[in-house]
Amino acid sequence: MKINIKDDAQKYLADKIPAGSTMILTTDDGSNKYSSLGGSCAIGDKFQLVILNENDPKYTVPIENNAGYKLATEPQYTDFFTAGLNISLWHNALALKDNSGILDGALSVVDWRNVKPETAEERRAKMEKLGDQIC
């Protein structure tokens, strides 16, 4: 899998992501430990770049990129992406796109290098609280 991080997006990311960082491209829909969003309206329509200290063993699909990041995704997420996958700056925010169009017009960047993961119970409570506020 390959992603083109366009020049304007690379400039935007330069002060947010240290060069050579380990990152994952994942959903932000409550389906993984990196997301507390809940609600069926978020499925497959919100994505995030997550900066990690080390590889997450679930994210085994490397994503070749032109910015030098060590980037991967989970096999189940590859169904969301088609040819021409790219990140660009759009309306002063990051946009994740492919040849089908815009996948997420507000791609977030989340730094998990110093985050203590929530327990499943904590995540569920947070998702229940947020779920009726986002859909």
Side-chain angles (χ1 to χ4, degrees), residues 36 118-130:
S36 295
E118 299 168 315
T119 65
E121 192 173 285
E122 290 169 330
R123 232 175 97 235
R124 176 176 282 296
K126 196 174 190 181
M127 287 171 69
E128 287 173 358
K129 182 179 178 187
L130 291 173

Side-chain angles (χ1 to χ4, degrees), residues 29-97:
D29 60 8
S31 66
N32 60 70
K33 69 181 180 183
Y34 302 102
S35 174
S36 295
L37 284 179
S40 59
C41 62
I43 296 172
D45 128 304
K46 295 182 184 339
F47 294 89
Q48 59 185 343
L49 288 171
V50 181
I51 307 167
L52 303 173
N53 284 322
E54 55 190 33
N55 292 337
D56 182 320
K58 284 186 163 186
Y59 292 79
T60 58
V61 178
I63 303 175
E64 181 183 331
N65 65 88
N66 57 320
Y69 298 125
K70 187 175 179 184
L71 183 60
T73 194
E74 197 170 342
Q76 68 180 357
Y77 300 132
T78 60
D79 291 341
F80 291 121
F81 312 128
T82 64
L85 191 61
N86 70 83
I87 297 173
S88 63
L89 200 59
W90 185 65
H91 298 294
N92 206 34
L94 292 176
L96 179 65
K97 303 176 185 179

Side-chain angles (χ1 to χ4, degrees), residues 110-123:
V110 183
D111 190 344
W112 265 69
R113 291 176 296 170
N114 297 311
V115 172
K116 179 185 170 235
E118 299 168 315
T119 65
E121 192 173 285
E122 290 169 330
R123 232 175 97 235

